[in-house]
Amino acid sequence: MANPLRLLQLNNVTLVGRLTRDPELRFTTSGAPVCRFDLAVNRRYKDKAGEWKDDTSFVPVVVWREAGQRCGEKLKKGSPVFVEGRLKSKSWETKDGQKRSGLEVDALRVQFLEKAEGAPTTDEEPSAPDSEIGAEAPAAAGAEEVPF
């Protein structure tokens, strides 16, 4: 019988937000593209007094391979995107020897929510979809790290 707790493990992230800065496109030592950007995700809610408040979260996102290359070329600060992926924890040591850790999203799918510059207008039909790309992060055992 399968372990019922194993079935409950889930690591899915779905975000819609805007880039807080231009994406960083780099390449691993073997030449694989990897793109990093931060996403601002807003949540609007009413406080106890009934007034509207905004809560913004800033989420680091990593996109690998061809999808990363495309994000690095097409996106810019302020671009709205839809991101699907999984959370990944990472830890590192600063230059002065302090240990740090954090979470980032390994993007499995990125959808551009705004037409790219030079894209056809609504009267023209694009020859191929230009707004959605998929990515698969390298397997954990053979993952390549890119210093940022």
Side-chain angles (χ1 to χ4, degrees):
M1 182 171 156
N3 180 352
L5 292 178
R6 187 170 187 182
L7 298 175
L8 297 177
Q9 295 177 6
L10 185 63
N11 185 355
N12 290 332
V13 176
T14 304
L15 301 168
V16 174
R18 291 184 178 272
L19 275 68
T20 62
R21 59 185 169 84
D22 288 337
E24 287 182 50
L25 178 61
R26 301 224 178 153
F27 296 86
T28 64
T29 53
S30 65
V34 58
C35 182
R36 292 181 186 267
F37 56 84
D38 290 325
L39 200 60
V41 180
N42 297 316
R43 179 178 72 94
R44 192 170 178 104
Y45 65 96
K46 279 190 179 181
D47 64 8
K48 291 181 180 180
E51 293 188 32
W52 285 103
K53 300 286 182 178
D54 290 315
D55 178 40
T56 303
S57 297
F58 300 95
V59 183
V61 177
V62 179
V63 189
W64 290 89
R65 297 192 176 76
E66 294 81 19
Q69 176 93 32
R70 194 144 175 211
C71 284
E73 294 169 352
K74 302 276 185 180
L75 296 175
K76 63 181 188 256
K77 179 180 178 178
S79 295
V81 294
F82 172 89
V83 175
E84 287 183 327
R86 57 182 167 242
L87 282 179
K88 182 179 178 186
S89 61
K90 63 183 239 175
S91 56
W92 67 96
E93 196 170 302
T94 63
K95 292 179 182 178
D96 58 349
Q98 294 182 9
K99 292 187 179 187
R100 304 278 186 192
S101 64
L103 292 173
E104 63 187 13
V105 173
D106 252 342
L108 301 174
R109 188 180 116 173
V110 175
Q111 184 172 356
F112 304 158
L113 298 179
E114 193 171 69
K115 285 191 181 230
E117 292 179 27
T121 62
T122 54
D123 298 289
E124 302 172 24
E125 285 290 299
S127 58
D130 192 40
S131 63
E132 186 177 315
I133 54 178
E136 192 63 41
E144 296 177 286
E145 289 297 318
V146 178
F148 273 84

